[in-house]
Amino acid sequence: MLTGMHIAVIGGDARQLEVIRKLIELDAKLSLVGFDQLDHGFTGASKEQIDEVDFSTVSAIILPVPGTNLEGQVDTIFSNEKIILTEELVKQTPAHCTIYSGITNGYLDQLVLSTNRKLVQLFERDDVAIYNAIPTVEGTIMMVIQHTDITIHNSKIAVLGLGRVGMSVARTFSVLGANVRVGARKSEHIARIFEMGLTPFLLKDLSTSVSDVDVVINTIPHLIVTSDVISKMPAHTLIIDLASKPGGTDFRYAEKRGIKALLAPGLPGIVAPKTAGQIVANVLSQLLKDGLEGRKEN
């Protein structure tokens, strides 16, 4: 239980509602910032403006999956309020206060450095990333069906990257009957792709490996689907970029070439926000419990 623990939930989308429900269930004291337009009332939680929160008692700050932008602004779909997490506010928190975010950026990194607070990136954790791969794959299947005029079965699909998402995407499309080839840099990944019964290729050979594909699914957060690569694709090829913004595709050139290229980060929050929220809530609640128990022992 998190009885009496003061937690500030700042901004977010429908996924945060599952986090809020879980924390209320665990008896935490919640300050909700950026939820003033939310019709749902949560017993045991109070909606507040950010300058109304007593940060001197806040043990944890929970940000949305994207964290903040580079100016410190936190996005929320439940408010028109401009919410900025400042150094001044964070410095008011107890020394043990931890900030939880899906990912980080230069602003957040500097903020925790200047305030000497701990930042936990939930999406850097293997458990969260692997659980999230499930709705990501389902969303990718949905997009392929929506944006092509062929069946997945017997189509030619190139998956770029064999990370936690790439592995799940490649395996699932293969099970659906697609002819899947997977590009990777590391020799051990090439061996794993072969062991999975898929067709491996080295990313240095990407240009020649996409000359006949129907769909390219990128999971690598670096510019890898370049103009040179796109120029070798058939005109009907669909590109789905699952990497975090700005993705790994030259979208300008794809548009010029007439190839449909879609940036689709955060698919879990779009196609299955309840499940995606429960994934974050379950891992987050355990981390909060562990942190509380650790402070009690000290």
Side-chain angles (χ1 to χ4, degrees):
M1 298 296 286
L2 300 173
T3 304
M5 185 178 187
H6 188 187
I7 300 171
V9 181
I10 304 178
D13 54 24
R15 286 173 285 187
Q16 296 298 76
L17 304 185
E18 297 302 317
V19 172
I20 293 167
R21 289 189 183 97
K22 184 71 172 180
L23 296 180
I24 289 174
E25 180 185 312
L26 293 171
D27 200 29
K29 175 186 175 183
L30 299 185
S31 293
L32 309 182
V33 179
F35 294 88
D36 49 277
Q37 294 179 357
L38 182 66
D39 293 332
H40 193 297
F42 289 105
T43 304
S46 62
K47 298 177 185 177
E48 302 175 35
Q49 302 294 311
I50 195 163
D51 56 1
E52 296 173 341
V53 178
D54 182 4
F55 280 96
S56 68
T57 64
V58 169
S59 294
I61 296 173
I62 299 174
L63 298 175
V65 169
T68 71
N69 66 14
L70 292 175
E71 286 74 48
Q73 185 170 345
V74 182
D75 283 338
T76 179
I77 65 171
F78 300 110
S79 176
N80 293 325
E81 175 190 0
K82 187 174 182 180
I83 303 168
I84 298 178
L85 185 67
T86 65
E87 178 181 329
E88 180 185 1
L89 291 174
V90 176
K91 279 185 174 179
Q92 295 174 28
T93 63
H96 65 260
C97 179
T98 302
I99 300 173
Y100 296 89
S101 176
I103 58 177
T104 189
N105 59 22
Y107 181 89
L108 268 181
D109 288 340
Q110 181 57 42
L111 180 65
V112 294
L113 185 65
S114 63
T115 58
N116 196 28
R117 297 297 184 268
K118 181 181 178 182
L119 173 67
V120 175
Q121 297 179 62
L122 296 172
F123 277 34
E124 286 297 305
R125 294 176 56 91
D126 283 337
D127 50 3
V128 174
I130 292 169
Y131 284 133
N132 260 316
I134 299 168
T136 297
V137 170
E138 291 188 9
T140 306
I141 293 169
M142 176 190 73
M143 293 181 71
V144 170
I145 292 172
Q146 287 177 336
H147 297 282
T148 62
D149 56 5
I150 59 173
T151 61
I152 291 174
H153 187 276
N154 207 39
S155 64
K156 295 177 181 178
I157 295 181
V159 177
L160 310 184
L162 195 73
R164 296 162 297 196
V165 172
M167 183 177 291
S168 296
V169 168
R171 182 192 299 118
T172 304
F173 275 93
S174 177
V175 169
L176 290 174
N179 299 301
V180 179
R181 64 192 71 166
V182 184
R185 285 194 177 90
K186 297 180 180 178
S187 60
E188 58 266 36
H189 286 178
I190 295 294
R192 176 60 67 192
I193 294 161
F194 177 80
E195 182 273 334
M196 291 169 67
L198 308 177
T199 303
F201 67 89
L202 291 168
L203 286 173
K204 68 181 180 65
D205 300 322
L206 179 55
S207 292
T208 57
S209 300
V210 297
S211 61
D212 62 344
V213 294
D214 300 305
V215 181
V216 173
I217 302 171
N218 177 52
T219 68
I220 300 170
H222 309 289
L223 182 58
I224 186 164
V225 188
T226 62
S227 57
D228 180 62
V229 172
I230 295 170
S231 70
K232 305 296 193 301
M233 295 178 186
H236 71 272
T237 302
L238 169 68
I239 302 170
I240 297 178
D241 200 321
L242 301 177
S244 55
K245 291 181 180 180
T249 300
D250 186 337
F251 291 97
R252 182 202 62 81
Y253 183 77
E255 182 179 8
K256 182 178 180 180
R257 171 101 202 278
I259 285 180
K260 184 175 288 187
L262 306 171
L263 180 61
L267 270 182
I270 297 170
V271 300
K274 187 177 183 69
T275 299
Q278 289 171 343
I279 290 168
V280 173
N282 290 335
V283 172
L284 183 56
S285 60
Q286 189 57 55
L287 290 174
L288 290 167
K289 286 180 188 175
D290 292 345
L292 185 59
E293 290 171 6
R295 289 199 299 276
K296 286 179 179 177
E297 289 174 1
N298 294 330

